[in-house]
Amino acid sequence: MELVKELPEIFEEFAEQRQKSFLAMKEVKEKNVPVVGAFCTYFPKEIVSAMGGVSVGLCSTSDETIPSAEVDLPKNLCPMVKASYGFAITDKCPFFYFSDLIVGETTCDGKKKMYEYLSEFKNVLIMELPNSQSEAGLKLWRNEIVRFKEHLEKTFGCEITEEQIRHAVHVANQRRTALKNLYEIMKNDPAPIDGSRLYNVLYGTSFRLDEENIPAEINALRERIMTAYAQGEMEPKKKRILLTGCPSGGAPMKVVRAIEENGGTVAAYENCGGAKSVDRLVDEEAEDIYMALAERYLAIGCSVMTPDANRLELMGRLLEEYKVDGVVEMTLQACHTYNIEAGQIKKFVRDRKIPYIHVETDYSQSDLGQLNTRIAAFIEMLA
């Protein structure tokens, strides 16, 4: 009889999911399953799923290979771009190694130019992501999704039917709904779990290759957490923080740890990997499924969009629904779009009489002392 795992063990498994998926990826390749690597939340992974392939995230979050990347790339470039390129050229990331196709998108200039270097030794397709959420941009993105589908068909010698796409959309929507229901447990005050455990589940799930099994597992986890909560198992009451800005996984989790170690809890993640990744569903009943996909993905709020109204709309909802005491915006050095937009976010938050702090960092651990000092002072001010 299989023993029921305790919640801490389950959270630890999600935290280690990326590493576990390295081994699973080898098994996938041995079965000749197509593997498509991607970098961005705008990537329409349903098309890959419809083909019977698997998609994996390639954004690296460690500074281990940055020195290797800086042989080709400038030192004053975004650490995520340098780390991603570094892991690719050093073959230290199995996801890069096993990817049959890498899909880039025209978000930031650093990534666009990095893709040119990647194309020298990997099969790369670049999707033309519009930088405005306009009617013209929507038409362009729909056409790019169709072009992506046709490229997969040509590359892998297959046919991707509309029926297959609609099934993949349904599965992806179930996953998004389950994850959204999970992170909404943080509306409770005190929070049922700490924010780092929540993020480990959200982040770890993105590296699960068994897409259809995820919803039931996440729903069961949520039920167990809330059952324990009803029995009085919860985090101590802390100041409730909304984290926004650049992705938090990997090295940037030092910001989350600084929040948690100094009297706060991250009640809401607006950034990639958090709410913006699963907030919206694809319209499964739409007559034009490609347009439905385009509408869902292009509606994601990101600083590469001009204007970025959808980011503000989502943030406004999160500030209210999660009873936020303060906002921490974490940006990476040389991430120009997020660093510039930070001024707009600051004004948006403070207009609502909510305290705000902006911390800029990289993938090193050299600023841990400064981070802790600033975050501690910010949370103390909230008291």
Side-chain angles (χ1 to χ4, degrees), residues 45-46 92 106 130 173 203 231 263 273 309 312 330 334 336 342 362 382:
K45 63 187 301 181
E46 288 91 339
K92 289 188 175 180
T106 53
N173 274 348
Y203 184 67
Q231 295 171 352
L312 297 179
M330 186 280 294
H336 300 311
D362 59 13
L382 300 181

Side-chain angles (χ1 to χ4, degrees), residues 130-179:
N131 294 134
S132 68
Q133 292 162 332
S134 61
E135 184 176 348
L138 184 59
K139 291 178 180 178
L140 171 61
W141 194 231
R142 179 199 180 278
N143 292 339
E144 284 297 284
I145 292 174
V146 173
R147 182 171 73 91
F148 175 47
K149 181 203 75 122
E150 293 172 347
H151 186 84
L152 291 180
E153 290 174 325
K154 181 178 179 180
T155 300
F156 297 103
C158 63
E159 179 185 4
I160 303 173
T161 66
E162 182 174 321
E163 181 181 2
Q164 290 170 324
I165 294 174
R166 289 185 180 275
H167 175 72
V169 164
H170 176 68
V171 172
N173 274 348
Q174 287 186 313
R175 171 183 169 276
R176 293 183 186 109
T177 299
L179 288 173

Side-chain angles (χ1 to χ4, degrees), residues 239 241 258-259 261-264 326-328 355-357 359 368-383:
K239 291 301 177 181
I241 304 299
I259 292 170
E261 291 169 4
N262 289 286
V327 172
V328 174
Y356 165 97
I357 188 174
V359 294
L368 286 179
Q370 181 189 57
L371 271 176
N372 271 288
T373 299
R374 294 190 63 201
I375 296 295
F378 178 71
I379 294 176
E380 184 177 356
M381 178 195 70
L382 300 181

Side-chain angles (χ1 to χ4, degrees), residues 11-295:
F11 289 127
E12 187 63 27
E13 287 182 354
F14 276 105
E16 297 173 350
Q17 184 59 53
R18 190 170 188 269
Q19 286 75 19
K20 290 181 179 179
S21 295
F22 291 160
L23 297 176
M25 186 59 60
K26 184 176 182 295
E27 297 175 2
V28 164
K29 291 302 297 180
E30 288 173 348
K31 296 177 182 177
N32 294 318
V33 174
V35 177
V36 179
F39 290 89
C40 189
T41 308
Y42 287 106
F43 173 67
K45 63 187 301 181
E46 288 91 339
I47 306 298
V48 178
S49 299
M51 178 182 65
V54 299
S55 54
V56 291
L58 298 180
C59 285
S60 297
T61 54
S62 162
D63 65 351
E64 177 185 350
T65 64
I66 285 180
S68 298
E70 289 177 344
V71 173
D72 296 326
L73 303 178
K75 294 185 186 302
N76 61 342
L77 186 63
C78 168
M80 185 172 67
V81 175
K82 290 191 293 185
S84 298
Y85 181 71
F87 274 96
I89 61 174
T90 58
D91 266 344
K92 289 188 175 180
C93 177
F95 293 151
F96 278 106
Y97 180 80
F98 287 120
S99 290
D100 302 297
L101 173 68
I102 290 177
V103 179
E105 74 305 313
T106 53
T107 47
C108 77
D109 291 337
K111 286 203 290 184
K112 285 189 291 187
K113 302 307 290 185
M114 185 262 287
Y115 298 149
E116 295 181 17
Y117 283 94
L118 287 181
S119 66
E120 295 177 4
F121 57 93
K122 292 293 285 189
N123 182 15
V124 176
L125 172 71
I126 298 178
M127 297 182 70
E128 298 289 339
L129 179 74
N131 294 134
S132 68
Q133 292 162 332
S134 61
E135 184 176 348
L138 184 59
K139 291 178 180 178
L140 171 61
W141 194 231
R142 179 199 180 278
N143 292 339
E144 284 297 284
I145 292 174
V146 173
R147 182 171 73 91
F148 175 47
K149 181 203 75 122
E150 293 172 347
H151 186 84
L152 291 180
E153 290 174 325
K154 181 178 179 180
T155 300
F156 297 103
C158 63
E159 179 185 4
I160 303 173
T161 66
E162 182 174 321
E163 181 181 2
Q164 290 170 324
I165 294 174
R166 289 185 180 275
H167 175 72
V169 164
H170 176 68
V171 172
N173 274 348
Q174 287 186 313
R175 171 183 169 276
R176 293 183 186 109
T177 299
L179 288 173
K180 185 174 182 179
N181 289 340
L182 175 67
Y183 75 67
E184 285 184 344
I185 67 173
M186 301 300 282
K187 292 181 180 180
N188 290 282
D189 188 15
I193 59 176
D194 62 44
S196 59
R197 282 183 164 177
L198 172 67
Y199 193 83
N200 285 339
V201 176
L202 298 174
Y203 184 67
T205 302
S206 68
F207 294 101
R208 288 282 299 272
L209 306 182
D210 51 342
E211 185 89 358
E212 300 208 14
N213 295 327
I214 293 173
E217 186 173 342
I218 296 299
N219 289 335
L221 174 60
R222 183 190 184 282
E223 184 176 347
R224 287 192 61 183
I225 293 171
M226 294 312 297
T227 297
Y229 189 72
Q231 295 171 352
E233 297 180 26
M234 61 191 71
E235 289 297 299
K237 190 172 177 62
K238 300 177 181 179
K239 291 301 177 181
R240 301 170 61 80
I241 304 299
L242 180 146
L243 184 64
T244 185
C246 294
S248 304
M253 281 296 286
K254 61 187 176 182
V255 177
V256 177
R257 288 191 292 272
I259 292 170
E260 292 183 343
E261 291 169 4
N262 289 286
T265 188
V266 181
Y269 293 87
E270 182 274 334
N271 50 3
C272 290
K276 73 168 60 175
S277 304
V278 295
D279 183 63
R280 298 172 185 266
L281 303 180
V282 179
D283 182 2
E284 298 182 33
E285 305 302 322
E287 182 176 350
D288 183 347
I289 195 62
Y290 298 104
M291 182 59 76
L293 282 164
E295 289 173 343

